[in-house]
Amino acid sequence: MRKNVERMAQNKIPGQRFLLSYISGLLAVICCLVPLASYADDNPLSLMRDDVLSYFRPLKGKVVSVNNGMAVINAGERSNVKKGMRFIVFREGSVFLHPVTKAPIGTLEAVIGKAEVKEVGYDTSTAVILNGNVKVSDKVRISETGVRMLFYQGKNVDWSLGDSYYRLIKETGRFEIVDTAIETDNDSEVIAEAKRLNVDVVLILSAKESAGDTMLKQRLLWADNSLKFAEDEVRVAVAFIKELRFGEEFFGPQKGDVRTFVDLPFGVRLITAGDIDGDGKAELLMSTGSDIRLYSQGAAGYLSGLYEIKGTPNDDHIWLDVLDINRDGKDEVILTLVKDNMVVSRIYEFKDGNFSVLWKGDVFLRRVGNELIAQEYEMGEGYKGAVFKVAWDNGYKKGDNVSIPRGVNIYDFIFINEPDGKKLVLAYDDAGHLNLYDEGIRIWRSRGDYGGFQTTFKRAAPTIMVERGEWAVKDRLSMQNREILVIKRIPLVGMAKGIGYSKSQIRSLWWTGVSMEERTIIDDIPGKALDFTIADNKIIILDMPMLGIKFKNILKGENPIGTVLYIYPLKGR
């Protein structure tokens, strides 16, 4: 599926737009050729493309017999006829004469019906008559006109892989590809969309992991009767996908140019997503700092308000997560806040249309993978003691300590699981650098910091003349497959973060086992990115643009600091 969300184009003058389009187009061709050259004729995407084309090669034939709704055609394997092909049936009419010379220049043809090949012999094939009063001597044909195709890329298909295959199909010139904005794993919904869009054929692309590689499957279905007539599955090596990503990074169009923009009518500080009501769909949860508001996501980024968890004006939210703690099929809301110089965490359960507090305590809480972890708090100091697991058994129970390097706190880190079972730790330090640890030993550190942290608290001091530094709530680190996604903020003036930020980025880190590969996957987010979440193969970024003050909010007594959402497709990265 290729969702067209170009709602907010980059502002470029016409000359720049032409030049960038030209260069992007030229280098996109290079991007395609680089990986293809490495894999020569056994490129798995080319093999799949050729199989699709084999069902739509222009062909001609004639009906030689008709019996009980079946027609025998004088073309078979020798003419490249395949089971599942569809022929248009024509019948010749009167001779068409030149209007001046009256010389015969052709024969008028009338479309009689349609037939689908069920059995193929060497010189003949047998087809079921789908419609029309087909007779002996009628002609059959697969014409050269473009075939209307719905190309649907499943959520589990790597974006670079799906996009490359989409372009290979489109560049054949054989298909008029129709895009759709729906996102579903239900074939019947895809077929319904295909019928609505009046297409002829549906290509559904899906993927699964197998021994470190990707098994890429395509299915071809006729839109009118949902009949599958072809299926292919190929193995795609991880090296091939990495080449595609390399080409995409340096030569292909930036993902940052494709986004949905949502202007929020209130200030938001934190964002996450989860299935709170158990309907199988992820809701968006946004914290204003004192309240939590839940929304459902509609097409083109539209949000519909659902529920609200009200707090008090003294609440200061510092972390928001979701996790199905009690294994009831619904995510619980995990909130940590500072109130009256104390840290309080609450777990909210949604039941019978309302939220209730499932648990409350004076520790920091956070989700890591599918586990809940915690750390104690000391007033005026911040984090205290070791990070430990929380076992949920009809209530909160303190578990074993989490194995992380000394000095790493609850919101600082994420695990990287190596193929050999080893667990590495990627963690922020207080200077804003990222560090990679192997059994407590640092093996990598980022060259620069990532722009500082948005939530900091001063440590208690005996007098105002003494500075004891700050403790900080670090930025969210998110794992997508084996890539870690992280926010990078770019200051307006050098390292002067206090003045503001010119833009933000989403960067990807990939540990190869030898080195850390880092690249920008979303660039030019205006202003200061505050938080992000991943839901339904989209990355949703909460951003505060420069000078984003909304004066009408002041009159309403609401937060005047304007925030927006940028929603980017993230196709199974």
Side-chain angles (χ1 to χ4, degrees):
M1 173 184 49
R2 301 183 53 83
K3 183 177 179 182
N4 182 12
V5 290
E6 296 179 359
R7 306 283 180 188
M8 186 177 180
Q10 299 290 335
N11 293 322
K12 300 183 178 73
I13 62 174
Q16 289 175 318
R17 191 189 308 275
F18 172 79
L19 180 60
L20 289 173
S21 297
Y22 175 79
I23 295 173
S24 176
L26 177 62
L27 295 181
V29 173
I30 299 173
C31 162
C32 293
L33 294 179
V34 169
L36 299 190
S38 300
Y39 287 84
D41 294 335
D42 61 348
N43 170 22
L45 300 186
S46 297
L47 296 174
M48 291 178 68
R49 174 205 59 195
D50 293 345
D51 192 60
V52 173
L53 286 173
S54 69
Y55 286 90
F56 300 96
R57 293 191 183 98
L59 287 173
K60 294 181 180 180
K62 183 180 290 187
V63 176
V64 295
S65 69
V66 177
N67 186 30
N68 293 328
M70 305 295 290
V72 177
I73 299 166
N74 67 345
E77 290 180 5
R78 190 167 66 170
S79 302
N80 295 317
V81 174
K82 301 182 70 171
K83 183 179 178 180
M85 276 182 170
R86 282 191 174 182
F87 289 101
I88 300 298
V89 184
F90 297 87
R91 184 170 301 158
E92 289 188 352
S94 57
V95 175
F96 182 67
L97 304 178
H98 191 280
V100 177
T101 66
K102 304 303 180 183
I105 58 175
T107 304
L108 294 175
E109 292 180 331
V111 176
I112 300 301
K114 189 184 298 181
E116 184 175 313
V117 176
K118 294 297 181 183
E119 296 180 6
V120 181
Y122 184 67
D123 287 315
T124 62
S125 55
T126 303
V128 61
I129 299 171
L130 299 176
N131 56 61
N133 183 23
V134 178
K135 297 180 178 180
V136 173
S137 296
D138 285 342
K139 293 183 177 180
V140 298
R141 182 182 305 158
I142 297 176
S143 67
E144 297 181 3
T145 57
V147 178
R148 283 179 61 83
M149 170 187 282
L150 177 64
F151 184 102
Y152 190 85
Q153 178 177 326
K155 298 177 182 179
N156 52 4
V157 179
D158 182 282
W159 171 261
S160 303
L161 192 60
D163 185 63
S164 295
Y165 189 52
Y166 175 93
R167 285 188 277 111
L168 277 179
I169 292 290
K170 190 169 185 177
E171 287 163 5
T172 65
R174 189 70 180 91
F175 304 98
E176 178 189 343
I177 299 184
V178 179
D179 292 333
T180 177
I182 69 167
E183 295 189 7
T184 179
D185 291 322
N186 190 321
D187 283 0
S188 62
E189 293 181 13
V190 178
I191 291 295
E193 177 76 351
K195 291 179 179 178
R196 184 185 71 82
L197 296 171
N198 193 32
V199 303
D200 303 308
V201 65
V202 181
L203 189 156
I204 299 178
L205 202 63
S206 60
K208 64 181 181 182
E209 297 300 312
S210 175
D213 293 335
T214 295
M215 299 303 296
L216 188 65
K217 179 190 287 188
Q218 71 175 359
R219 289 174 293 143
L220 295 173
L221 302 90
W222 294 114
D224 56 2
N225 62 1
S226 309
L227 183 69
K228 181 180 72 176
F229 62 92
E231 181 175 298
D232 270 320
E233 188 173 51
V234 296
R235 179 177 293 275
V236 183
V238 65
F240 182 86
I241 298 176
K242 289 188 73 174
E243 283 191 23
L244 291 176
R245 289 181 177 179
F246 174 86
E248 181 184 67
E249 175 185 1
F250 291 103
F251 305 122
Q254 285 283 327
K255 290 186 182 68
D257 290 342
V258 184
R259 65 189 177 197
T260 302
F261 168 86
V262 181
D263 190 1
L264 298 173
F266 51 90
V268 178
R269 182 181 301 179
L270 303 168
I271 187 170
T272 191
D275 183 8
I276 303 300
D277 52 16
D279 64 353
K281 299 177 182 178
E283 287 79 45
L284 279 184
L285 294 81
M286 290 184 268
S287 163
T288 65
S290 59
D291 305 324
I292 299 173
R293 301 178 184 180
L294 284 80
Y295 295 85
S296 64
Q297 303 176 68
Y302 294 113
L303 302 179
S304 299
L306 296 174
Y307 317 106
E308 186 172 19
I309 301 175
K310 291 291 291 183
T312 69
N314 293 332
D315 293 350
D316 186 6
H317 296 179
I318 63 172
W319 196 264
L320 183 63
D321 256 330
V322 295
L323 177 64
D324 185 5
I325 295 169
N326 55 13
R327 304 295 185 255
D328 64 349
K330 297 183 293 184
D331 286 326
E332 280 69 54
V333 180
I334 303 161
L335 173 67
T336 299
L337 58 94
V338 174
K339 184 174 185 177
D340 300 327
N341 294 320
M342 289 297 296
V343 161
V344 179
S345 285
R346 301 183 186 126
I347 301 174
Y348 292 93
E349 179 184 32
F350 184 76
K351 194 172 184 180
D352 300 326
N354 294 294
F355 284 97
S356 59
V357 177
L358 188 63
W359 181 86
K360 178 180 176 180
D362 56 355
V363 295
F364 300 96
L365 285 183
R366 180 197 168 192
R367 171 184 181 170
V368 172
N370 288 317
E371 291 186 316
L372 185 64
I373 61 174
Q375 189 174 12
E376 294 180 357
Y377 168 74
E378 183 176 350
M379 182 181 291
E381 295 295 323
Y383 307 107
K384 176 185 177 182
V387 178
F388 56 89
K389 297 179 182 179
V390 174
W392 190 267
D393 185 9
N394 294 321
Y396 173 101
K397 294 184 179 179
K398 185 174 180 178
D400 297 333
N401 288 348
V402 178
S403 180
I404 53 178
R406 186 172 180 174
V408 173
N409 293 304
I410 186 169
Y411 301 124
D412 299 354
F413 73 97
I414 194 169
F415 289 120
I416 299 176
N417 296 314
E418 291 287 84
D420 61 2
K422 183 182 292 186
K423 189 175 287 188
L424 307 181
V425 177
L426 181 70
Y428 283 109
D429 58 28
D430 289 339
H433 292 254
L434 279 170
N435 305 266
L436 186 65
Y437 297 92
D438 183 355
E439 297 183 352
I441 299 173
R442 188 172 70 187
I443 59 175
W444 173 84
R445 187 175 192 249
S446 61
R447 291 184 178 179
D449 67 75
Y450 283 77
F453 308 114
Q454 304 309 297
T455 305
T456 59
F457 299 89
K458 288 188 177 295
R459 290 191 174 93
T463 69
I464 60 172
M465 302 298 292
V466 177
E467 286 284 344
R468 296 190 58 242
E470 298 177 331
W471 63 274
V473 179
K474 307 302 198 312
D475 288 334
R476 195 180 300 271
L477 297 168
S478 181
M479 178 73 74
Q480 182 74 358
N481 296 326
R482 293 196 69 242
E483 288 181 282
I484 296 96
L485 304 184
V486 57
I487 292 173
K488 168 76 173 182
R489 302 183 187 91
I490 313 298
L492 268 173
V493 182
M495 301 300 293
K497 303 179 182 67
I499 299 177
Y501 297 90
S502 61
K503 68 174 183 176
S504 299
Q505 302 168 334
I506 298 294
R507 291 199 174 178
S508 160
L509 300 174
W510 180 302
W511 176 247
T512 66
V514 178
S515 63
M516 186 71 78
E517 292 185 3
E518 180 177 4
R519 67 191 184 104
T520 301
I521 64 168
I522 299 175
D523 199 0
D524 293 329
I525 304 167
K528 180 171 64 176
L530 302 176
D531 197 5
F532 70 98
T533 188
I534 295 173
D536 299 328
N537 273 301
K538 296 187 288 287
I539 182 167
I540 304 169
I541 302 165
L542 177 62
D543 183 66
M544 185 171 68
M546 290 178 57
L547 306 177
I549 297 176
K550 298 183 178 181
F551 294 99
K552 63 181 181 181
N553 284 19
I554 299 176
L555 300 177
K556 296 178 182 178
E558 296 180 355
N559 190 338
I561 303 301
T563 47
V564 298
L565 297 182
Y566 293 114
I567 305 175
Y568 298 80
L570 195 65
K571 301 288 184 178
R573 292 187 50 81

